[in-house]
C-alpha cells in the first residue's frame, strides 16, 4: 500500500508480467479490521495497476468467496459477496477492467478456493493440526455439525495452473477443484493421518460473513489444460496432512 515504494520498484524492474498475490488473506478481518483489509487489498492492487507499464500481463489472485452459497458457480455467475473480504476481491477484479481501458493491461482474475500446503500460516488445516497436538481433551470446531463445506486445492496444483495461465488470455477463471468437503470430513482425515483422536465439541455458531457451502465449476481451467495431481479436495487435504508428517 506504500505507493511510492511500489512505483520505485516497478519503474526499476519494468516487469512484463505480474502475478499479484500480495493481499490480506484473513477473511475473518471482515469483522474486526475491515478498513485494514480494504486498504491492503484494494489500494494495494490499484497501486500495482497504476504504476505498471502499459500492456503488462497482470494475473490477480481473486477468490471463489465472491460467489453465492450452495451453487456450482461458473465464471460468469452473479457475484454475491457475504464479507468485506469478498467485496474487496470484487473491487480488485473491477480495477482490472478499468486499467485494461486506461493502459492496455492484459488481465486475468484467478478465483481460488482454499489453497493448502505444509507452510500454511492460518486456516482450518493448521488449526486442526495445532488443536490435535495440544493438551486439550476435546477438539473444538466452529459451527454446527457437519460444519461448512468448501473447496480445497493443493498449492502445487495452484502453481501449475498459474504458470499455465501465463499465456492464456481469459478474463476470469476458477482455478480450484470441482468438489467441496465438510469440516467434519476434514477432521476425520486429520485424525486418521496424524493418528490422533479426540472427542469433538461444536461451538454452534460461525463468524459473520462465512460462506456455508461454497463450490465452483472448474471446466474452463480443465479445458485450458490444467491437470491437478490431487484432483479432489479429499486428496489435496490428505496430501497436506501427510506433509506435516514428512
Amino acid at each position: 500500500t506504500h505507493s511510492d515504494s511500489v512505483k520505485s520498484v516497478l519503474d526499476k524492474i519494468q516487469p512484463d508480467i505480474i502475478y499479484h498475490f500480495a493481499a490480506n488473506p484473513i477473511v475473518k478481518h471482515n469483522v474486526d479490521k475491515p478498513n485494514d483489509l480494504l486498504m491492503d487489498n484494494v489500494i494495494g492492487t490499484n497501486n500495482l495497476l497504476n504504476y505498471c507499464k502499459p500492456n503488462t500481463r497482470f494475473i490477480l489472485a481473486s477468490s471463489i468467496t465472491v460467489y453465492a452459497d450452495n451453487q456450482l458457480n461458473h465464471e460468469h455467475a452473479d457475484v454475491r459477496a457475504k464479507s468485506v473480504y469478498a467485496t474487496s476481491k470484487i473491487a480488485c477484479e473491477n480495477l482490472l477492467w478499468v486499467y485494461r481501458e486506461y493502459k492496455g493491461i492484459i488481465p486475468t482474475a484467478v478465483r481460488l478456493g482454499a489453497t493448502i500446503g505444509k507452510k500454511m500460516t492460518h486456516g482450518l488445516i493448521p488449526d486442526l493440526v495445532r488443536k490435535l497436538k495440544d493438551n486439550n481433551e476435546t477438539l473444538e470446531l466452529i459451527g454446527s455439525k457437519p460444519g461448512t463445506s468448501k473447496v480445497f486445492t493443493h498449492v502445487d496444483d495452484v502453481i501449475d495452473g498459474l504458470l499455465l495461465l501465463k499465456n492464456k488470455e481469459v478474463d476470469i477463471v476458477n482455478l480450484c477443484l470441482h468438489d467441496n468437503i465438510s469440516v467434519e470430513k476434514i477432521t476425520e482425515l486429520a485424525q486418521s493421518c496424524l493418528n490422533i483422536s479426540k472427542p469433538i465439541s461444536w461451538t454452534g455458531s460461525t463468524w459473520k460473513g462465512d460462506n456455508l457451502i461454497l463450490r465452483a465449476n472448474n471446466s474452463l481451467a480443465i479445458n485450458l489444460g490444467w491437470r491437478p495431481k490431487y484432483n479432489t479436495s479429499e486428496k489435496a487435504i490428505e496430501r497436506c496432512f501427510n506433509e506435516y508428517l514428512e
Side-chain angles (χ1 to χ4, degrees):
T1 57
H2 296 88
S3 59
D4 290 344
S5 298
V6 172
K7 183 178 186 304
S8 176
V9 170
L10 291 180
D11 284 348
K12 179 179 180 180
I13 299 175
Q14 293 284 302
D16 296 321
I17 181 170
I18 293 175
Y19 284 93
H20 177 32
F21 277 68
N24 188 327
I26 311 297
V27 182
K28 294 179 184 179
H29 282 179
N30 156 67
V31 176
D32 58 352
K33 297 181 180 179
N35 290 347
D36 290 351
L37 194 154
L38 289 169
M39 179 67 71
D40 290 343
N41 292 0
V42 181
I43 301 304
T45 298
N46 187 74
N47 285 339
L48 282 171
L49 289 165
N50 187 31
Y51 294 123
C52 70
K53 66 183 181 182
N55 304 311
T56 296
R57 179 76 172 103
F58 198 102
I59 298 177
L60 169 75
S62 188
S63 170
I64 64 171
T65 60
V66 303
Y67 293 129
D69 273 355
N70 202 21
Q71 298 180 33
L72 191 60
N73 294 285
H74 58 79
E75 284 82 0
H76 298 291
D78 291 339
V79 291
R80 298 182 184 179
K82 292 182 64 176
S83 65
V84 175
Y85 172 83
T87 301
S88 78
K89 289 300 184 180
I90 295 170
C92 291
E93 291 184 8
N94 286 334
L95 285 170
L96 294 180
W97 324 136
V98 170
Y99 279 91
R100 174 162 59 190
E101 296 299 319
Y102 281 4
K103 57 199 303 183
I105 70 159
I106 306 166
T108 296
V110 183
R111 291 177 176 167
L112 302 169
T115 301
I116 56 174
K118 182 178 179 180
K119 296 186 181 297
M120 296 172 64
T121 59
H122 63 279
L124 177 60
I125 304 299
D127 282 353
L128 281 174
V129 173
R130 176 179 54 80
K131 289 180 177 181
L132 285 170
K133 291 183 175 182
D134 68 22
N135 295 324
N136 293 324
E137 294 183 358
T138 61
L139 175 61
E140 184 180 84
L141 299 178
I142 295 174
S144 301
K145 184 179 180 179
T148 59
S149 187
K150 299 178 182 178
V151 181
F152 291 78
T153 311
H154 196 277
V155 63
D156 290 351
D157 288 324
V158 171
I159 291 171
D160 287 346
L162 291 169
L163 294 176
L164 172 72
L165 289 171
K166 177 181 178 180
N167 298 313
K168 307 287 186 180
E169 293 187 18
V170 292
D171 283 355
I172 302 170
V173 60
N174 295 330
L175 191 66
C176 60
L177 298 178
H178 64 282
D179 64 341
N180 53 339
I181 186 170
S182 70
V183 170
E184 182 180 38
K185 179 60 177 178
I186 295 169
T187 303
E188 292 174 4
L189 293 173
Q191 294 187 102
S192 175
C193 291
L194 300 177
N195 197 26
I196 303 172
S197 182
K198 289 183 179 182
I200 295 172
S201 171
W202 293 90
T203 65
S205 62
T206 185
W207 48 274
K208 293 179 180 179
D210 195 11
N211 294 89
L212 301 182
I213 302 176
L214 198 55
R215 300 186 297 161
N217 185 321
N218 69 356
S219 59
L220 175 57
I222 297 300
N223 290 338
L224 290 171
W226 187 49
R227 297 293 182 268
K229 296 185 288 291
Y230 310 104
N231 60 4
T232 67
S233 290
E234 182 170 335
K235 289 179 181 178
I237 289 166
E238 285 181 334
R239 174 56 186 151
C240 187
F241 283 130
N242 286 327
E243 286 173 337
Y244 279 94
L245 302 175
E246 294 175 353

